[in-house]
């Protein structure tokens, strides 16, 4: 009987096309630098780079892209497999790793990051094929570029024999400070640079169901990192998530983009239908400045100009109002312990993990009546 049960279980395991891989958290780059007293130097350096490369939008608040606290997974690339640790990013659709031939400090990882990068040695892989195509991706915190190639990759027990991906030999400074070796994009193919088919699309035929579940855990001691959740390919994760799923149509097949019906915090509420996106590439929430201003009012947060972030008194971490989103008539409440972080700023200050969005959004096309001097008034062409 016991054998039969065991066998059945084994058969079930062999036949279920469900694959799981633990996500983990490298800890906050920001918290690490703050702890060492290096954060303000880092900010100054990033600000200099930003003003050199970008035209800042007009507005009263700095544009800050922290891209700080990330969720990562281990994958392998090549034959024999070389392990790399990549950011799990629903906000982009390409995979890239760092070229072992890149000897710059940023490719190796800065000492401040307490991390030595695992670079991909293309010549050590018997299955790697270099392509002529170059790749360049401009993420909001910084770019990466190099050439494209194809090779076998594995993740969560799945194998893609031929996956195209970027081999980066130029990286923006910010990546030198992060404990990561690349990015694993889980966005839709339409977003993919060079029209590369993303890994998720390449494994769909191997799965029980064409879906993945990402469970992100919340840890209070964030600078330590460690296990932070699970990604399940091919099934719902009903161990870590409720089995009742509220499905919402996507408003674009690019990002994981959908509509919310309302947002509220404390006595502030708005019930405009707005497009939002779910982005696992960062744990911070980006939102338009008018919404931020209301959140600031409701939480009593202050902008800390030295650390360039909103802060509240840490003693309020558990008793600030919930952030409440209404999605498909269901209200989702995010308690303040989920959006207030102790980054070790000192003086009893804790960070509000939200920042403003000055540019973007509000894309629209405007029509106005054209004035035509050469046409008689009243002609059909004189008005539209
Ligand atoms: C990922 O790999 C690193 C070594 O590069 C290891 O320390 C870590 O525990 C691994 N994490 C998981 C979730 O497998
Ligand atoms: C890459 O691997 C090859 C073959 O194993 C080795 O000779 C070479 O030194 C390695 N290159 C780097 C940069 O590690
Ligand atoms: C934070 O709140 C506590 C308790 O209300 C108070 O004693 C402390 O002075 C406050 N700290 C700051 C920096 O305002």
């Amino acid at each position: 009987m016991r054998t039969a049960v065991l066998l059945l279980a084994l058969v079930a395991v062999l036949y279920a096309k469900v694959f799981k891989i633990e996500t983990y958290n490298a800890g906050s780059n920001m918290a690490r630098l703050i702890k060492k007293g290096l954060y303000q130097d880092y900010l100054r350096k990033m600000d200099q780079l930003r003003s050199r490369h970008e035209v800042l939008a007009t507005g009263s608040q700095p544009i800050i892209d922290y891209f700080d606290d990330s969720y990562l997974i281990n994958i392998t690339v090549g034959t024999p497999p070389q392990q790399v640790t990549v950011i799990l990013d629903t906000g982009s659709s390409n995979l890239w790793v760092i070229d072992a031939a890149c000897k710059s400090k940023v490719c190796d990882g800065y000492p401040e990051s307490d991390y030595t990068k695992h670079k991909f040695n293309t010549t050590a892989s018997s299955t790697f094929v270099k392509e002529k195509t170059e790749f360049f991706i401009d993420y909001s915190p910084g770019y990466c570029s190099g050439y494209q190639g194809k090779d076998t990759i594995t993740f969560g027990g799945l194998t893609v024999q031929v996956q195209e991906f970027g081999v980066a030999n130029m990286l923006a400074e910010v990546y030198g400070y992060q404990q990561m070796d690349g990015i694993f994009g889980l966005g839709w193919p339409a977003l993919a640079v060079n029209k590369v088919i993303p890994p998720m699309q390449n494994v769909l035929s191997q799965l029980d169901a064409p879906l993945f579940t990402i469970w992100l855990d919340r840890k209070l001691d964030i600078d330590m990192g460690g296990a932070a959740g699970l990604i399940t390919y091919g099934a719902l994760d009903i161990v870590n998530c409720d089995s009742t799923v509220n499905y919402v149509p996507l408003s674009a097949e690019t990002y994981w983009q959908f509509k919310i019906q309302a947002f509220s915090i404390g006595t502030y509420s708005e019930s405009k239908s707005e497009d939002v996106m779910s982005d696992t590439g960062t744990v911070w929430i980006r939102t338009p400045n008018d919404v931020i201003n209301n959140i600031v009012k409701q939480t009593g947060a202050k902008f800390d100009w030295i650390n360039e972030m909103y802060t509240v008194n840490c003693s309020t971490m558990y008793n600030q109002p919930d952030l409440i989103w209404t999605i498909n008539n269901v209200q989702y409440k995010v308690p303040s312990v989920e959006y207030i972080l102790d980054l070790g700023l000192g003086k009893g200050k804790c960070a509000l993990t939200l920042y403003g969005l000055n540019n973007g959004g509000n894309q629209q096309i405007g029509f106005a009546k054209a004035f035509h001097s050469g046409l008689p008034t009243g002609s059909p062409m004189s008005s539209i």
Side-chain angles (χ1 to χ4, degrees):
M1 185 58 202
R2 212 189 151 101
T3 335
V5 171
L6 273 178
L7 265 179
L8 271 180
L10 192 62
V11 169
V13 170
L14 287 176
Y15 282 87
K17 293 183 213 135
V18 174
F19 301 83
K20 295 179 182 185
I21 181 168
E22 256 180 54
T23 66
Y24 79 103
N25 192 301
S28 166
N29 169 40
M30 212 185 284
R32 220 168 9 245
L33 293 172
I34 287 167
K35 203 179 237 175
K36 293 183 183 164
L38 297 172
Y39 187 60
Q40 283 150 33
D41 283 348
Y42 166 79
L43 272 183
R44 218 168 301 130
K45 195 164 171 195
M46 291 297 139
D47 282 346
Q48 282 162 5
L49 288 168
R50 248 196 300 274
S51 51
R52 220 180 298 154
H53 293 302
E54 270 179 37
V55 180
L56 291 178
T58 55
S60 57
Q61 285 177 311
I63 302 170
I64 306 160
D65 277 317
Y66 286 115
F67 200 60
D68 178 54
D69 199 2
S70 310
Y71 291 92
L72 303 126
I73 55 170
N74 287 341
I75 67 168
T76 74
V77 186
T79 314
Q82 299 177 37
Q83 187 182 274
V84 291
T85 300
V86 287
I87 292 178
L88 196 63
D89 184 20
T90 55
S92 67
S93 303
N94 289 74
L95 167 66
W96 62 265
V97 294
I98 304 169
D99 193 348
C102 176
K103 305 285 189 197
S104 69
K105 288 203 173 97
V106 56
C107 283
D108 286 338
Y110 290 119
E112 291 94 322
S113 69
D114 293 337
Y115 186 76
T116 303
K117 295 204 186 288
H118 309 99
K119 299 186 286 187
F120 176 53
N121 183 341
T122 58
T123 50
S125 172
S126 60
T127 41
F128 180 77
V129 179
K130 184 176 178 172
E131 297 177 343
K132 288 205 179 74
T133 319
E134 296 189 337
F135 92 100
F136 176 89
I137 306 180
D138 201 8
Y139 299 91
S140 54
Y143 74 95
C144 70
S145 74
Y147 57 91
Q148 208 162 278
K150 52 190 172 191
D151 206 338
T152 301
I153 66 165
T154 70
F155 53 97
L158 290 155
T159 301
V160 180
Q161 295 297 344
V162 183
Q163 174 66 49
E164 277 187 304
F165 56 91
V167 182
N169 44 36
M170 300 267 285
L171 295 176
E173 294 287 298
V174 64
Y175 299 111
Y177 290 95
Q178 288 192 303
Q179 298 193 349
M180 54 81 96
D181 310 318
I183 295 184
F184 187 86
L186 280 165
W188 287 84
L191 272 189
V193 167
N194 293 349
K195 300 203 167 92
V196 168
I197 299 169
M200 186 63 200
Q201 266 61 32
N202 280 330
V203 293
L204 283 182
S205 62
Q206 301 179 39
L207 301 176
D208 271 358
L211 56 88
F212 60 86
T213 310
I214 298 180
W215 168 61
L216 300 178
D217 204 2
R218 162 74 166 104
K219 308 229 301 182
L220 282 179
D221 195 4
I222 68 138
D223 61 329
M224 293 298 123
L230 189 74
I231 177 163
T232 304
Y233 305 94
L236 296 175
D237 176 0
I238 55 171
V239 174
N240 297 301
C241 309
D242 196 299
S243 58
T244 308
V245 180
N246 171 31
Y247 286 101
V248 184
L250 294 179
S251 48
E253 227 177 76
T254 50
Y255 296 103
W256 289 94
Q257 187 175 328
F258 55 95
K259 292 211 185 295
I260 55 165
Q261 294 160 305
F263 169 74
S264 68
I265 176 170
T267 58
Y268 167 76
S269 71
E270 62 153 88
S271 47
K272 274 190 291 195
S273 168
E274 299 207 67
D275 270 274
V276 299
M277 60 190 244
S278 173
D279 181 359
T280 58
T282 168
V283 300
W284 290 55
I285 298 170
R286 264 188 275 187
T287 186
N289 281 335
D290 60 320
V291 177
I292 280 280
N293 292 340
N294 281 294
I295 295 170
V296 164
K297 250 182 237 160
Q298 296 292 323
T299 54
K302 305 229 160 33
F303 196 75
D304 174 340
W305 288 96
I306 297 174
N307 293 301
E308 298 185 6
M309 64 179 83
Y310 288 101
T311 63
V312 293
N313 187 327
C314 291
S315 68
T316 68
M317 186 184 266
Y318 287 89
N319 42 37
Q320 292 279 3
D322 296 344
L323 302 174
I324 305 174
W325 280 278
T326 307
I327 307 168
N328 224 11
N329 302 321
V330 180
Q331 282 196 346
Y332 294 89
K333 295 186 183 175
V334 175
S336 54
V337 66
E338 305 269 351
Y339 69 83
I340 295 171
L341 281 186
D342 189 350
L343 290 168
L345 293 168
K347 297 184 184 140
K349 284 186 192 176
C350 277
L352 206 61
T353 56
L354 292 108
Y355 55 102
L357 201 62
N358 270 331
N359 51 353
N362 202 28
Q363 267 104 0
Q364 50 187 321
I365 178 167
F367 294 94
K369 182 172 171 174
F371 301 117
H372 301 291
S373 55
L375 293 169
T377 50
S379 98
M381 282 300 290
S382 69
S383 61
I384 178 171

